[in-house]
Amino acid sequence: MEYSYYPGCSLKSSSKDYAESVKQVSDKLGITLIELSNWACCGASVSHIPEESLSLALPALTIAEADKYSRDIVASCAACFNRLKSTHLLLGKYPEKKIETEKLIGKNLSVKINVKHFLEVLFEEVKDWDSIIIKKLKGLKVACYYGCLLTRPNDMIKDGKSEDPRMMDNLMEKLGAASIDWPFKTECCGTSFGLSKPEVVLKLSGRILRSAKKSGAECIVVACPLCHSNLDLRQSQIEKYNNLKFDLPVFYFPELAALALGIDYRNLLLDKHIVDPMPLLRRKDLI
Amino acid sequence: MIRNGISQTLALEIEKRTKINVFGCYQCGKCSAGCVFSYLMDTPPHLLMRLIQLDMREKALSSNTFWGCGACVTCSFRCPREIDVLRVINTVRSIAIEERVLSRNNSLKDVPIFNEIFMNNIIGNEHVNEFLLGANFNLKSLKFFKDISLLPVLYKKDKLTARKKASTRNIKKIVEGLKGNNGI
C-alpha cells in the first residue's frame, strides 16, 4: 500500500538510524512510503508553541500538503504522529477551529485522510509474520517503551489499552523476542527538558532505565527519536547522576524487525547508537 | 478583569477559547497525582484548576505550572471528568504570555528561553535544526559549556547535520499573520 510519509525533523538529523530502519523494513515488506516534498515542522510539542492557533496551524500545513495526494499520512516520530493526529481530530471536531486554521495557513483542509504511526502500519500490513521471518530474535529480553505521545490521549494508536499498551510487545513477540512486563512503559522520559532543565531528564529517564534493568530487560525498544536521545545519548550522564550502571542498548522497533527479516545489520546504521548494541546482538547470535 | 468594557473571568476566557468548562473539575487530584513534572511546579495542575474556578487570576497567570509541564498528556487522559487539563494549562500560558505576566518563581526561567529559540529556529528553517537549537540555547541561557562533552560524539556519529533549509516560508507567513492579528 502507498502512504504519504512525514519523516519529521529528528529523522533528518539526530535519528538517521531510525529513518534508515524504517526505509529498510518498508522496502522489504513492499510498503511504499512517499515522502511529502513540502513538509514543515509539526511544532513537536504543544508546550513549545505560544498559542493554540499556531500549534494547530503547523501540523495543518502538512495535512494540507498530504490532502493533494489523498493517501494516509505515516509518521515514525511519536511526537510528529501525535501532533498531526491530534490536530486532525480537533479540526474535525470543531468546524470553527478548522475555518480559523484554514484562514491562517491560506489553504483548505479536507480532514479526510488518516494519520498513522509506522508501528500501526506494520501491524495492519503484515498478517503472517511467521512466514517472512528469517531469524527469530530468540532469547532477547526487551522492554517495550511507548513513552507518552504514542498512546495518549486515548485515540492515538489503535491499541485499546492506553495505560498498558501491547502493540509493540505483540510485535516483538511475533519477531521471537521476549517482551518483559514492567511498570514504566508509558512514563514520560523528560522530553525536551534535556536542554532547558537537564536534571529533569536525568531523574525521569533514570527511573525508566532502572525499572527496565530491574525487570530483567537486556535492551529497550522505542518508537520516538526524543525518547531514544534521552535514554541512549544521555545514558552515561544518567548513570553518573544516579550513581548506577545500566549499559542498556536502546533500539528503534524497526531495527529489531529488520534483523528478524534477515536484513543485513550493516545496512542499519547501528553504529550511530551511543550505547553499543553489538555485544548484545553478538551474544544472542543475531548478527 | 475588565476587557472591552465587559467584566470577564479567567474561566470564561478559557471557555471562549477552548469550550472547556473548568467548573466540571471536582478537585480529585488525579491529574497532579499522575503528573511526573508536578515536583517542578509551585502550583500542580489540580490547584491551577482551582485558582481558575476561584478567579484568582494573578496567582494563576504567575504560576510556573505551564513552564514545568512536559505535555505528556497524562492529566487530560486520566481526568474522570474528561477535562482536557493540558489544554487548560496551555491556554493559561498563552494568556500569561499575551499579558506579559512574569512567573513568581524563577526555577524554570530557562524554559521560555528554550521555547523562544525553538520558535525562531522553525521560523527560520521551516524545520528544527537541532545543532542550532542547542547552540543558541547555550548562548541565550549563558550556559556556554552545557553538553559540550557530547559534541565530539554527536559530530562523529553525524547527528548534527540537518535537512537542507526548505525553500518555502510557510511558518514565517503564519507567524506574521498572527502578529497582525494581535497574536503572539
Side-chain angles (χ1 to χ4, degrees):
Chain A
M1 197 150 148
E2 287 187 345
Y3 299 92
S4 285
Y5 184 50
Y6 178 80
C9 309
S10 294
L11 272 79
K12 294 285 179 183
S13 61
S14 59
S15 309
K16 299 185 184 89
D17 36 4
Y18 192 12
E20 188 59 32
S21 66
V22 169
K23 184 183 177 302
Q24 294 281 342
V25 169
S26 51
D27 283 356
K28 183 89 179 180
L29 296 174
I31 300 167
T32 313
L33 301 178
I34 304 164
E35 185 174 331
L36 291 165
S37 51
N38 257 329
W39 57 268
C41 173
C42 67
S45 161
V46 281
S47 302
H48 301 160
I49 311 297
E51 66 169 288
E52 187 172 67
S53 48
L54 184 57
S55 74
L56 294 174
L58 296 175
L61 279 174
T62 298
I63 296 173
E65 178 71 16
D67 270 345
K68 290 186 200 162
Y69 308 98
S70 318
R71 292 185 290 254
D72 288 350
I73 309 174
V74 171
S76 29
C77 164
C80 300
F81 163 71
N82 190 290
R83 286 313 306 136
L84 290 168
K85 186 152 181 181
S86 300
T87 302
H88 184 260
L89 292 173
L90 199 127
L91 296 181
K93 194 170 159 193
Y94 302 111
E96 70 284 0
K97 287 272 172 200
K98 181 168 166 269
I99 296 166
E100 185 195 317
T101 307
E102 285 174 333
K103 220 176 111 192
L104 205 51
I105 64 171
K107 287 171 184 141
N108 288 329
L109 294 160
S110 80
V111 204
K112 283 210 178 90
I113 47 173
N114 288 317
V115 181
K116 289 179 180 171
H117 190 272
F118 188 61
L119 180 63
E120 290 177 287
V121 173
L122 279 193
F123 242 84
E124 286 167 19
E125 294 268 346
V126 184
K127 298 284 176 236
D128 179 16
W129 284 94
D130 277 343
S131 64
I132 50 173
I133 287 174
I134 308 280
K135 191 187 247 170
K136 285 230 168 195
L137 306 177
K138 249 186 156 164
L140 187 67
K141 288 190 203 135
V142 302
C144 292
Y145 177 63
Y146 297 76
C148 311
L149 300 174
L150 205 58
T151 58
R152 282 192 295 266
N154 238 337
D155 29 23
M156 289 299 117
I157 54 167
K158 294 258 173 289
D159 198 338
K161 285 178 97 179
S162 301
E163 291 280 4
D164 179 23
R166 297 288 315 161
M167 199 181 260
M168 216 188 315
D169 297 77
N170 289 342
L171 175 66
M172 287 303 134
E173 273 158 19
K174 281 175 183 166
L175 300 176
S179 89
I180 58 144
D181 195 18
W182 66 308
F184 277 78
K185 50 167 46 169
T186 61
E187 290 288 301
C188 184
C189 68
T191 80
S192 60
F193 279 111
L195 278 178
S196 52
K197 200 163 176 72
E199 308 85 79
V200 178
V201 168
L202 303 183
K203 183 179 159 121
L204 299 187
S205 284
R207 281 192 213 158
I208 292 163
L209 288 163
R210 195 163 48 215
S211 167
K213 189 90 184 171
K214 211 174 138 194
S215 309
E218 293 165 308
C219 60
I220 297 183
V221 192
V222 298
C224 170
L226 189 55
C227 299
H228 194 274
S229 268
N230 283 341
L231 297 173
D232 181 58
L233 173 64
R234 294 194 187 273
Q235 196 172 122
S236 59
Q237 294 178 350
I238 294 168
E239 286 177 336
K240 243 183 244 156
Y241 183 81
N242 292 286
N243 202 14
L244 286 166
K245 192 90 189 124
F246 298 118
D247 196 23
L248 277 172
V250 186
F251 292 101
Y252 294 107
F253 70 94
E255 290 178 330
L256 291 181
L259 292 175
L261 290 169
I263 292 165
D264 190 332
Y265 73 92
R266 280 163 294 197
N267 292 338
L268 286 176
L269 308 183
L270 291 170
D271 56 341
K272 287 194 186 295
H273 290 212
I274 309 299
V275 180
D276 186 4
M278 293 306 171
L280 174 66
L281 294 176
R282 265 187 224 109
R283 212 161 58 234
K284 297 285 166 183
D285 199 23
L286 293 170
I287 52 171
Chain B
M1 157 118 209
I2 313 281
R3 275 196 155 184
N4 308 326
I6 311 156
S7 139
Q8 175 164 270
T9 62
L10 185 55
L12 202 66
E13 207 171 329
I14 290 167
E15 188 168 0
K16 262 193 195 154
R17 294 180 188 222
T18 60
K19 295 199 170 152
I20 296 170
N21 178 1
V22 294
F23 296 101
C25 167
Y26 52 33
Q27 290 290 297
C28 69
K30 266 188 111 172
C31 49
S32 299
C35 174
V36 293
F37 301 103
S38 62
Y39 79 100
L40 296 166
M41 301 170 180
D42 50 23
T43 312
H46 79 288
L47 282 184
L48 183 71
M49 295 297 287
R50 190 69 186 135
L51 291 179
I52 303 166
Q53 290 176 337
L54 297 172
D55 204 31
M56 295 172 78
R57 193 185 177 90
E58 289 311 312
K59 219 156 185 192
L61 296 187
S62 66
S63 77
N64 70 357
T65 313
F66 38 83
W67 300 127
C69 169
C72 73
V73 206
T74 308
C75 53
S76 305
F77 174 70
R78 290 186 181 163
C79 176
R81 303 287 290 151
E82 295 183 12
I83 296 171
D84 192 340
V85 184
L86 172 58
R87 228 174 136 210
V88 174
I89 293 173
N90 281 331
T91 308
V92 176
R93 188 192 49 192
S94 296
I95 298 170
I97 293 173
E98 282 164 32
E99 298 184 1
R100 301 202 161 80
V101 179
L102 294 177
S103 194
R104 61 174 181 272
N105 182 329
N106 225 9
S107 64
L108 295 167
K109 62 176 179 0
D110 286 340
V111 180
I113 297 177
F114 172 81
N115 290 358
E116 194 190 328
I117 291 165
F118 182 91
M119 264 324 293
N120 288 336
N121 193 309
I122 61 172
I123 291 168
N125 299 295
E126 199 82 355
H127 57 84
V128 180
N129 181 314
E130 290 166 318
F131 173 65
L132 290 179
L133 189 65
N136 282 329
F137 176 79
N138 285 11
L139 286 178
K140 282 235 170 145
S141 62
L142 308 178
K143 293 187 174 57
F144 303 118
F145 302 110
K146 186 185 169 297
D147 284 336
I148 210 93
S149 61
L150 292 177
L151 261 186
V153 66
L154 287 170
Y155 177 76
K156 194 175 132 217
K157 305 223 173 227
D158 184 27
K159 284 177 180 277
L160 296 173
T161 54
R163 178 196 188 200
K164 265 205 335 240
K165 215 169 173 164
S167 55
T168 44
R169 281 285 168 275
N170 288 323
I171 297 181
K172 199 171 177 201
K173 260 185 253 161
I174 293 171
V175 173
E176 277 165 5
L178 274 173
K179 272 184 187 150
N181 232 342
N182 173 38
I184 23 182

